[in-house]
Amino acid sequence: MRKTMTCTVSLLAAAALLTGCGSENKDAGPSKAAASPSVSSSGGAKGSATATKGVPHQVVFEVGGTGAGKVMWIGNTNHFEQVTLPWTKTESMQLEGAELKVGVTVSVVPASVEGPDGMLAPAPCTIKVDGKQVADNQAGKSAEPCTYKLKD
């Protein structure tokens, strides 16, 4: 039981640290000028990514089990909260700019729940995109979080 708790805590800590690497920085500061699109001699903007958007996707995060637990999910933004299981969260996501080429990783790290043997195990999780299941953790048999790279 201690090994499972340690593994789960380590996994959650690692996931939390990794999500910080992709956080948005609304204050561009001095680099704002470097990120501005260049203007061609005809007066139009070159390389403007603001007009390029993908199709909207419906992303559904699900965690099974009973009782309460902490769940972390990454969709439009990062979230970590105490929830009542079973739990479902639906977000609409639309890729834009560079995300259209490289995609965006969505994931859900499920809470630990008591298994039939009395030991803690990851709760079952799934991710569905536009109604199609794209990730799961084999009904909680895998200690891996549910992760999927969303692309247009």
Side-chain angles (χ1 to χ4, degrees):
M1 182 167 148
R2 184 179 200 141
K3 184 176 181 183
T4 302
M5 288 273 298
T6 303
C7 183
T8 301
V9 170
S10 298
L11 181 62
L12 286 172
L17 288 173
L18 289 174
T19 58
C21 295
S23 65
E24 292 184 29
N25 184 359
K26 301 283 185 199
D27 181 16
S31 64
K32 190 174 185 180
S36 299
S38 61
V39 178
S40 70
S41 58
S42 63
K46 279 186 180 177
S48 176
T50 57
T52 308
K53 288 191 176 188
V55 297
H57 296 283
Q58 182 182 31
V59 180
V60 179
F61 304 94
E62 297 176 330
V63 176
T66 59
K70 293 194 179 197
V71 174
M72 182 178 78
W73 78 98
I74 302 167
N76 288 320
T77 58
N78 304 333
H79 307 273
F80 186 74
E81 65 184 57
Q82 182 79 17
V83 299
T84 301
L85 302 174
W87 170 85
T88 301
K89 178 68 177 178
T90 303
E91 291 189 353
S92 179
M93 296 184 68
Q94 187 172 18
L95 306 182
E96 56 185 82
E99 295 171 341
L100 292 166
K101 287 186 178 184
V102 297
V104 172
T105 300
V106 295
S107 67
V108 60
V109 180
S112 292
V113 294
E114 188 174 330
D117 58 359
M119 301 295 286
L120 289 177
C125 65
T126 60
I127 298 174
K128 295 176 184 172
V129 175
D130 299 329
K132 180 182 175 190
Q133 184 171 310
V134 294
D136 70 53
N137 68 349
Q138 294 88 39
K141 293 179 182 134
S142 170
E144 298 294 319
C146 294
T147 303
Y148 178 72
K149 185 164 249 182
L150 180 63
K151 288 187 172 184
D152 271 352

